[in-house]
Amino acid sequence: MNKALEPVKLRNIELKNRVVRSATQDYFGNHDGTVSEEQIKIHETLAANNIGLIITAHNYVTPAGKVSLDQNSISADLYIDGHKKQTEAVHKAGAKIIMQISHAGAGAMELDGNPPVAPSAVPIPFPASDATPKALTAQEIEVIIQQFIDAAVRVKKAGYDGVQVHGAHQYLFSQFLNPVYNKRTDEYGGSVENRFRISERAIAGIKKELGEEFPVFLKVNSNIEENDEAYYDDLIYVAQKCKDLGVEAIEYSGFNFTALGRQGLRKYYLDRVAAVRKEVDIPAILVGGIRSFKDMDEVLDRGIDMVSICRPFISEPDLISKLIAGQEESRCLSCSKCFVLPKRTGKRCVHHQ
Ligand SMILES: Cc1cc2nc3c(=O)[nH]c(=O)nc-3n(C[C@H](O)[C@H](O)[C@H](O)COP(=O)(O)O)c2cc1C
């Protein structure tokens, strides 16, 4: 049997195999932030096709952290019921599912004419709004930390098997961690201890509120745009801190996965993540450019605990079943048109008819 199909036990969660569906915005959410029937079907299909752990798309913890109209919300109790239907459908089909919770920070839409908020007034690439972001006060940061904790309480009530805090790509928590976007001089800027503090407090608060045994995951970038060598040391700090906080596993992505995929590369961040995994003993999930059982073997053989996949599952939600049946690799071109196609055509992939 392929190693990816072996069961795995993390601290407080047992999974039937090592394959993860990475968080994926499908653009089919209802415009009031609730889960649509179509989304439930998407997750049900994934669950029926040999994926051990499904991670939902990022759900905003507050309307000020929302990035698109069709994004799901977990910012109030009214959203719990729709999510409950989704967790029930996935559990019935035989998989586990956790919710990714996020705040888009500088990437968010304007809310009631107000600019998005960020660690510092530094714009990010591809923001949802042209407005210059406003730097958060320490008091406003406290409010956001509480919004993450409140969101996680709802995640548990909705029947999810855990929660993933989104600290990757160019969203709020990664803006704090990355010195390119964080120019603060208070306890949330400067040293890595300070830059990771907002994530640390959110995770610690969730654990305190929900109990040590409720699974909490973190997604982070394994690389950044500038001074990436120094960022390696930051990652070691983050991994060690997550271990101390009782995080189940860290999922490592990167800021530039779209460009790397278009170059035809595979397993973009393997070398770096394997090095971090060797230095700090906390389970690691690698995402980015994993397309076949051969890729998965190469990742797992380097000491990484789980493999995570996004774009191939958009094209072929039954990819793992097909690989088991003998298909060699995903047909995904890593073209990333899945970011724009659903809005333009209603289709999710260039391969869909
Ligand atoms: C259409 C689309 C939507 C995505 N939505 C999310 C998301 O909601 N949260 C997140 O952390 N990453 C999101 N990602 C990034 C993926 O989870 C993943 O990190 C990245 O696509 C690299 O993996 P892959 O090469 O297997 O696609 C998205 C990617 C795509 C293409």
Side-chain angles (χ1 to χ4, degrees):
M1 185 167 70
N2 187 278
K3 199 173 171 190
L5 298 176
E6 289 171 0
V8 60
K9 183 176 183 323
L10 305 176
R11 291 180 90 241
N12 292 303
I13 186 169
E14 286 184 44
L15 300 164
K16 67 181 176 191
N17 65 39
R18 294 173 185 266
V19 180
V20 180
R21 196 293 288 257
S22 197
T24 306
Q25 162 66 316
D26 48 49
Y27 307 103
F28 291 145
N30 296 323
H31 283 199
D32 61 3
T34 56
V35 176
S36 68
E37 289 301 320
E38 199 151 4
Q39 290 181 305
I40 294 176
K41 277 196 212 111
I42 288 172
H43 289 93
E44 208 171 18
T45 306
L46 290 163
N49 278 285
N50 298 292
I51 297 171
L53 181 66
I54 295 171
I55 307 177
T56 69
H58 58 155
N59 280 242
Y60 55 89
V61 301
T62 165
K66 173 178 177 173
V67 72
S68 72
L69 280 179
D70 35 36
Q71 191 184 356
N72 292 138
S73 176
I74 193 67
S75 61
D77 286 353
L78 69 95
Y79 298 107
I80 295 174
D81 276 354
H83 280 291
K84 216 180 234 167
K85 282 192 201 144
Q86 182 156 279
T87 56
E88 281 165 4
V90 166
H91 289 152
K92 214 166 152 197
K96 293 206 168 147
I97 181 164
I98 63 174
M99 186 198 286
Q100 187 185 65
I101 56 175
S102 78
H103 188 305
M109 300 164 78
E110 286 177 45
L111 179 68
D112 303 329
N114 294 309
V117 294
S120 308
V122 181
I124 59 153
F126 316 115
S129 148
D130 291 334
T132 305
K134 177 191 152 307
L136 288 158
T137 64
Q139 213 175 357
E140 287 167 337
I141 292 173
E142 296 297 319
V143 172
I144 290 175
I145 291 168
Q146 190 57 46
Q147 287 165 339
F148 271 84
I149 298 167
D150 294 344
V153 170
R154 295 182 195 111
V155 168
K156 190 176 180 190
K157 282 187 185 155
Y160 284 96
D161 301 291
V163 64
Q164 183 183 59
V165 172
H166 193 352
H169 306 143
Q170 271 84 13
Y171 289 153
L172 187 67
F173 285 6
S174 88
Q175 291 157 22
F176 269 93
L177 188 59
N178 185 342
V180 172
Y181 305 110
N182 184 346
K183 307 292 181 196
R184 300 179 75 92
T185 53
D186 64 359
E187 61 172 337
Y188 293 102
S191 65
V192 64
E193 288 83 352
N194 286 353
R195 284 181 278 118
F196 189 62
R197 197 176 305 283
I198 185 168
S199 307
E200 178 190 344
R201 288 195 173 156
I203 294 166
I206 293 168
K207 284 276 179 191
K208 188 162 174 242
E209 190 66 36
L210 293 180
E212 213 282 315
E213 62 288 344
F214 189 71
V216 179
F217 295 72
L218 176 71
K219 186 169 182 176
V220 288
N221 286 338
S222 58
N223 63 353
I224 58 171
E225 304 86 323
E226 291 173 20
N227 296 321
D228 190 43
E229 290 308 308
Y231 186 69
Y232 177 78
D233 296 332
D234 294 352
L235 276 180
I236 299 296
Y237 172 84
V238 167
Q240 187 57 55
K241 185 51 86 177
C242 283
K243 185 175 157 76
D244 298 344
L245 288 165
V247 166
E248 297 287 329
I250 303 175
E251 185 183 17
Y252 296 92
S253 183
F255 80 91
N256 55 350
F257 69 85
T258 313
L260 298 177
R262 287 197 183 117
Q263 290 162 31
L265 299 173
R266 296 276 184 102
K267 308 172 293 285
Y268 317 137
Y269 312 113
L270 176 55
D271 288 343
R272 169 155 289 193
V273 176
V276 174
R277 179 67 182 87
K278 220 169 170 183
E279 278 202 53
V280 187
D281 188 17
I282 176 165
I285 304 171
L286 183 75
V287 67
I290 297 168
R291 302 291 180 259
S292 64
F293 274 153
K294 186 168 166 286
D295 288 338
M296 295 180 211
D297 279 341
E298 283 172 31
V299 172
L300 298 171
D301 284 350
R302 297 280 297 276
I304 288 162
D305 302 83
M306 298 184 77
V307 288
S308 189
I309 295 172
C310 168
R311 287 167 289 181
F313 284 146
I314 296 176
S315 186
E316 299 164 284
D318 55 350
L319 174 66
I320 302 299
S321 304
K322 286 175 167 176
L323 296 182
I324 292 170
Q327 181 175 313
E328 203 162 304
E329 61 179 28
S330 164
R331 66 183 178 184
C332 174
L333 305 168
S334 306
C335 66
S336 292
K337 296 222 168 82
C338 38
F339 276 118
V340 292
L341 271 183
K343 280 178 210 157
R344 289 186 192 155
T345 67
K347 308 253 184 283
R348 298 185 68 205
C349 174
V350 290
H351 290 296
H352 292 174
Q353 298 303 311

